[in-house]
Amino acid sequence: MKLLVIVLTIFFVATVGAFQYTIQVYTAIEGTKGKTKVGSNGHIFASLQSSSGSKTEFIELDNKKKNDFEAGAVDTFNINSNVHLKDLKCLVMKTTDDDYWLMDFSIVFYNKMAQVFVNSNYLGLSTDPKEGKSELKWCV
């Protein structure tokens, strides 16, 4: 019985987060659409969705030793998920903070392909409804 538990534990640990996605996030520059503050120190989460409706869980985008989401910066995040997406239709981002953040565009690399998501309406993330929305979705 102990051996079975150990084997199942190893199998579970080995398969969780088995699929890797890379998200490059381009934060807008100051002055975009008249915004003087576009960078954020808030918590930003991302979920990826396929055309069939499959989606990854929301995963926090955070490089532990870096100040992410600064104006004009490019941040790269390698995220792992137990969900394998055969194609990529949508990028959903959300925040739990009222620290406004404005993404210019993002590139998601997956399955040896890349998909670009452009924030053409310049909508920002914030839990403060006067500044933006707490969750945004971009689809191609």
Side-chain angles (χ1 to χ4, degrees), residues 80-133:
N80 295 305
S81 175
N82 57 352
V83 177
H84 179 254
L85 301 175
K86 293 181 181 171
D87 67 351
L88 187 55
K89 179 76 177 163
C90 300
L91 167 64
V92 182
M93 290 188 169
K94 70 178 184 178
T95 185
T96 55
D97 300 295
D98 65 356
D99 192 8
Y100 179 82
W101 175 65
L102 183 61
M103 177 189 85
D104 191 3
F105 65 97
S106 289
I107 304 172
V108 180
F109 299 91
Y110 69 104
N111 298 338
K112 299 181 182 176
M113 295 180 277
Q115 183 62 61
V116 178
F117 296 94
V118 179
N119 188 3
S120 56
N121 293 325
Y122 295 101
L123 300 173
L125 277 178
S126 175
T127 57
D128 182 344
K130 295 175 195 163
E131 292 182 327
K133 297 187 176 209

Side-chain angles (χ1 to χ4, degrees), residues 7-26:
V7 170
L8 288 176
T9 302
I10 290 171
F11 176 76
F12 179 75
V13 170
T15 58
V16 169
F19 302 102
Q20 186 175 61
Y21 303 91
T22 299
I23 302 176
Q24 278 186 345
V25 177
Y26 294 73

Side-chain angles (χ1 to χ4, degrees), residues 50-65:
S50 72
S51 58
S52 68
S54 297
K55 58 187 172 183
T56 66
E57 61 278 10
F58 276 98
I59 299 168
E60 185 171 11
L61 303 179
D62 185 26
N63 291 312
K64 298 292 182 200
K65 296 183 180 185

Side-chain angles (χ1 to χ4, degrees), residues 38-82:
V38 295
S40 177
N41 290 317
H43 298 275
I44 309 290
F45 301 84
S47 173
L48 306 173
Q49 298 179 357
S50 72
S51 58
S52 68
S54 297
K55 58 187 172 183
T56 66
E57 61 278 10
F58 276 98
I59 299 168
E60 185 171 11
L61 303 179
D62 185 26
N63 291 312
K64 298 292 182 200
K65 296 183 180 185
K66 185 174 184 258
N67 193 2
D68 301 312
F69 309 111
E70 293 299 303
V74 178
D75 297 301
T76 301
F77 305 95
N78 294 310
I79 61 171
N80 295 305
S81 175
N82 57 352

